Amino acid sequence: DAVRRRVGDADAMRRRWDTFPAMLVAYEGPQHRVVTANAAYRTLLGRPEPIGSTLRELLPELDGQQIIALVDRVYTTGTSQVAREWRVLLDRTGTGELQARFIDFVLSAFYDGDGRIAGGNA
């Protein structure tokens, strides 16, 4: 009950998170395992369920596109990274055909109860 009073009803929060029009995702740990992602993020990926996958498992096509390096930097330094109209190539169909998308994003760290970086948000 104390947690519910502090953060709200979990189901209501999930519904609101999922209908937010901007892409939202949270990664955990140095491998950047997806712990939550909203519908806008899933739509961009073209994959229905990213939860539990690492960023590299989910989007191997990002290797060499500097995005994983930015996520790594946020995780190791805690310094937010901002990108505007970043060209990203995605295999949204699973066929190996890369499609270009231009996205804006902010990557930021989140911290555990001891003040250590636990993961990142985008």
Side-chain angles (χ1 to χ4, degrees):
D1 278 342
V3 171
R4 179 176 276 196
R5 284 193 304 273
R6 194 173 74 235
V7 299
D9 178 70
D11 290 333
M13 293 301 294
R14 282 187 199 96
R15 285 191 303 275
R16 288 182 185 103
W17 170 270
D18 213 34
T19 61
F20 196 75
M23 295 180 302
L24 300 170
V25 62
Y27 307 102
E28 191 170 83
Q31 297 301 312
H32 317 304
R33 189 165 305 281
V34 177
V35 293
T36 189
N38 73 347
Y41 185 83
R42 293 190 309 271
T43 297
L44 172 75
L45 298 182
R47 295 165 179 92
E49 191 50 67
I51 307 302
S53 299
T54 67
L55 187 56
R56 284 184 173 90
E57 291 168 344
L58 188 60
L59 298 165
E61 64 269 27
L62 290 184
D63 278 339
Q65 294 189 54
Q66 301 178 358
I67 293 175
I68 292 176
L70 289 177
V71 177
D72 286 340
R73 186 176 307 145
V74 170
Y75 183 78
T76 58
T77 68
T79 303
S80 295
Q81 302 291 306
V82 178
R84 301 280 184 241
E85 296 184 25
W86 191 288
R87 182 175 182 256
V88 61
L89 299 172
L90 298 172
D91 178 9
R92 299 183 69 243
T93 61
T95 63
E97 179 184 340
L98 298 178
Q99 300 174 3
R101 294 289 189 266
F102 293 85
I103 60 174
D104 297 341
F105 59 87
V106 176
L107 302 170
S108 61
F110 70 86
Y111 298 83
D112 65 17
D114 295 326
R116 293 182 302 244
I117 296 172
N121 303 304

